[in-house]
Amino acid sequence: MNTEQIRAILAEHGRLTTPVEDLEDTSDLYHSGLTSLATVGLMLALEDEFDIEFPDSALSRKTFTSIESIAEVIEELVE
Amino acid sequence: MHQSIQQTDFDALMEQVHKIGKEVIAVNADDVDKQARFPKESIEAIKSLKLMSAYVPASMGGMGLSVGQVAKVCEALGHYCGSTAMIYAMHKIQVACLTHHYHDSPYLIDYISKLVNEQRLIASATTEIGIGGDLRSSICAVEVDGDSFTLTKKAPVISYALDADDILVTARRQADSAASDQVQVMFHKGQFELEPISGWDTLGFRGTCSSGFVISGKGSIGQIFPENFGEILSESMHPFAHIVWASLWSGIAADAVNKARKFIRNQAKKNINAPPISAIRLGEVDSVLQNMRNNIAVAEQEYSDMLTAGDKNAFSNFGFGIRINNLKTSSAQLIVDIVGKAMLICGIASYRNDSPMSLSRHIRDAYGAALMVNNDRIMLHNSTLLLMHREEH
């Protein structure tokens, strides 16, 4: 999946300490300054953007650990 | 995952715990409270039962108790001395971090056998001045130089720091890491220095000696836990802490209810035809205590099942975090409610400091529960997490 959309949302809502363009798809977002409060904003924006609803089983730190992990979950939900 | 002790052996162990509780811990509780001193005799008695390594799996030389069994020990200790029970619970949280997260670190495996043989006491320095109580952020950072590292942390509280054999400290992984990119490191006595910055003259839990210190030390890189602190927190420290804390609080509450029962019984003996006016309150407070215990049992069962299933991702589920937080905030309120109700039953005798029915220490300890990791902070955090949580149908 093209991660540009995710990166744009992350730049707007992630409040990261590292610029999004410096992150790899696999970089740990929690190590890049992602907080639980910022995770809420990120999740709500992702739901809006992709017109999805994360199920409870996907609502964990694991899902929001990296751009790659977010993309994987979204791909599953969009299908 | 851990439980390997037979029920009959566990029952025998609990008898021993209650024995040292009555003969040693309760005997020293008032002095520990009055002097705000470390309960040395009580911890020695606990060590004599090899309880410092109770949660270490039997395959590693420990007792192999389950989370629920450790919680039972904490509750039992809470009957006799809140500070002793709190110190034991805090130590056990660190033991859980170790036994769940040593991975294949030869250093930590070797340390665990030392813990078993020497019955060492482990303290913890998680909060930091300038952070505002958020365990998932650090200012201080580990500085690695070859095979060794140095670390200095300004900790507003390190419970029983001066009496601990080892201290686990959280810090940023390295100088340029983000505040949330944390590791946990272990210092042994002799490797660190403590510069006092604040004392511990408090209302309750006075024997925990939770003074503030600048801790600075040097160790070998083997003493840095291999796993990220974020994982250790969500999988072990957070759920384990709230379960054992709630358990020891329920022990303090249960002791208050026991006193209330004794009071009512004595009153009833005096005049069996006219039951005391506060008898009805005994029924009421007993039901609140049962609620508290049931909450703990449900959380403990869920956590035990997750440990058994071994699905590491499950621990970071926001719903699980919310439920564990709810256990903490509700238990911290219930202990105040229960001890307060017991005081209404026992009357002025429980208000006195010099009465065998005194509940002074109980009520002072009880008010600490909501403040250690402040309930309001937890509820604010939960209100955030709840935006991301859905009940599935």
Side-chain angles (χ1 to χ4, degrees):
Chain A
M1 140 174 229
N2 186 335
T3 57
E4 282 315 308
Q5 268 172 296
I6 297 175
R7 283 175 174 273
I9 291 171
L10 198 52
E12 194 179 341
H13 299 277
R15 302 184 211 169
L16 303 181
T17 47
T18 313
V20 172
E21 51 273 23
D22 292 351
L23 294 174
E24 305 286 331
D25 280 355
T26 52
S27 300
D28 190 320
L29 299 178
Y30 288 99
H31 290 179
S32 312
L34 185 65
T35 63
S36 56
L37 187 60
T39 309
V40 177
L42 176 63
M43 171 216 148
L44 297 174
L46 288 166
E47 289 196 338
D48 267 358
E49 176 77 17
F50 292 95
D51 192 24
I52 51 169
E53 237 186 41
F54 288 102
D56 184 58
S57 56
L59 290 173
S60 71
R61 272 171 58 90
K62 184 76 189 164
T63 300
F64 301 97
T65 296
S66 66
I67 294 169
E68 188 180 50
S69 63
I70 294 170
E72 278 171 12
V73 174
I74 291 177
E75 257 178 17
E76 267 176 44
L77 293 173
V78 170
E79 270 166 18
Chain B
M1 173 183 185
H2 276 300
Q3 190 166 13
S4 55
I5 187 169
Q6 298 289 327
Q7 189 59 42
T8 48
D9 293 340
F10 182 67
D11 293 343
L13 175 70
M14 288 307 290
E15 263 179 48
Q16 292 291 311
V17 172
H18 282 289
K19 188 167 187 287
I20 61 164
K22 290 183 188 108
E23 292 175 3
V24 183
I25 301 173
V27 175
N28 287 287
D30 280 345
D31 189 58
V32 164
D33 179 51
K34 211 167 270 173
Q35 315 286 340
R37 68 165 178 88
F38 180 75
K40 195 173 186 318
E41 309 84 348
S42 306
I43 299 299
E44 284 305 318
I46 290 170
K47 286 181 180 180
S48 73
L49 297 182
K50 299 272 180 201
L51 280 168
M52 304 312 272
S53 50
Y55 192 65
V56 174
S59 59
M60 299 181 87
M63 223 175 255
L65 297 198
S66 65
V67 182
Q69 288 171 328
V70 170
K72 288 263 183 327
V73 173
C74 292
E75 180 185 348
L77 296 174
H79 281 254
Y80 304 104
C81 170
S83 290
T84 300
M86 182 54 79
I87 291 168
Y88 183 71
M90 290 196 275
H91 163 79
K92 271 286 161 283
I93 298 161
Q94 308 314 313
V95 174
C97 293
L98 259 170
T99 55
H100 292 170
H101 304 280
Y102 65 86
H103 287 285
D104 291 325
S105 157
Y107 189 94
L108 295 179
I109 292 171
D110 184 54
Y111 172 78
I112 291 172
S113 79
K114 268 169 71 175
L115 165 66
V116 172
N117 294 329
E118 300 169 19
Q119 291 296 295
R120 299 172 73 92
L121 175 64
I122 314 172
S124 164
T126 46
T127 48
E128 184 170 12
I129 289 174
I131 287 289
D134 174 16
L135 298 193
R136 280 296 282 120
S137 292
S138 288
I139 296 170
C140 66
V142 171
E143 286 181 41
V144 175
D145 181 14
D147 289 340
S148 65
F149 74 93
T150 55
L151 173 63
T152 298
K153 179 168 188 166
K154 283 184 191 161
V157 285
I158 309 180
S159 296
Y160 54 92
L162 297 173
D163 293 276
D165 298 303
D166 312 287
I167 301 185
L168 295 186
V169 189
T170 51
R172 286 184 300 125
R173 184 180 306 277
Q174 55 194 47
D176 59 355
S177 300
S180 58
D181 183 7
Q182 295 163 293
V183 288
Q184 198 172 19
V185 307
M186 169 175 272
F187 280 133
H188 309 300
K189 205 166 201 159
Q191 290 184 320
F192 60 82
E193 283 178 17
L194 295 168
E195 181 201 322
I197 48 178
S198 57
W200 185 252
D201 182 2
T202 52
L203 202 59
F205 288 117
R206 292 169 57 80
T208 62
C209 303
S210 305
S211 301
F213 298 94
V214 176
I215 178 170
S216 49
K218 187 175 180 182
S220 73
I221 52 171
Q223 292 168 240
I224 303 172
F225 277 55
E227 203 163 354
N228 297 327
F229 177 64
E231 310 292 329
I232 297 176
L233 181 68
S234 63
E235 186 175 337
S236 302
M237 188 181 277
H238 178 240
F240 203 97
H242 290 336
I243 290 167
V244 291
W245 286 352
S247 298
L248 83 90
W249 297 336
S250 76
I252 296 171
D255 190 53
V257 173
N258 278 342
K259 285 200 177 176
R261 187 180 296 120
K262 200 167 159 187
F263 183 85
I264 298 286
R265 197 175 289 145
N266 287 344
Q267 293 282 308
K269 271 188 211 160
K270 283 181 196 157
N271 186 354
I272 197 72
N273 295 321
I277 190 165
S278 52
I280 190 170
R281 288 209 176 271
L282 183 61
E284 184 190 25
V285 73
D286 185 64
S287 122
V288 183
L289 177 62
Q290 184 175 325
N291 286 344
M292 185 181 187
R293 284 176 161 156
N294 289 351
N295 282 347
I296 299 167
V298 169
E300 179 266 302
Q301 189 61 53
E302 179 178 16
Y303 181 50
S304 293
D305 289 347
M306 287 165 74
L307 286 173
T308 307
D311 174 10
K312 285 181 91 71
N313 293 337
F315 298 101
S316 74
N317 176 268
F318 298 129
F320 174 64
I322 290 166
R323 289 190 290 279
I324 290 293
N325 282 337
N326 284 340
L327 170 69
K328 193 275 174 183
T329 54
S330 70
S331 302
Q333 289 170 29
L334 290 176
I335 182 180
V336 173
D337 186 26
I338 293 168
V339 179
K341 285 185 162 76
M343 289 182 78
L344 273 177
I345 294 169
C346 300
I348 207 78
S350 68
Y351 193 65
R352 299 179 69 104
N353 285 321
D354 59 355
S355 142
M357 297 306 281
S358 175
L359 287 171
S360 162
R361 179 160 47 81
H362 298 67
I363 195 72
R364 287 184 286 106
D365 285 350
Y367 274 108
L371 308 180
M372 46 180 295
V373 190
N374 195 302
N375 266 20
D376 282 0
R377 180 196 312 285
I378 294 178
M379 282 194 263
L380 177 67
H381 189 60
N382 261 10
S383 65
T384 304
L385 291 179
L386 277 163
L387 297 177
M388 295 190 286
H389 176 58
R390 294 192 173 90
E391 296 271 341
E392 269 176 333
H393 302 289

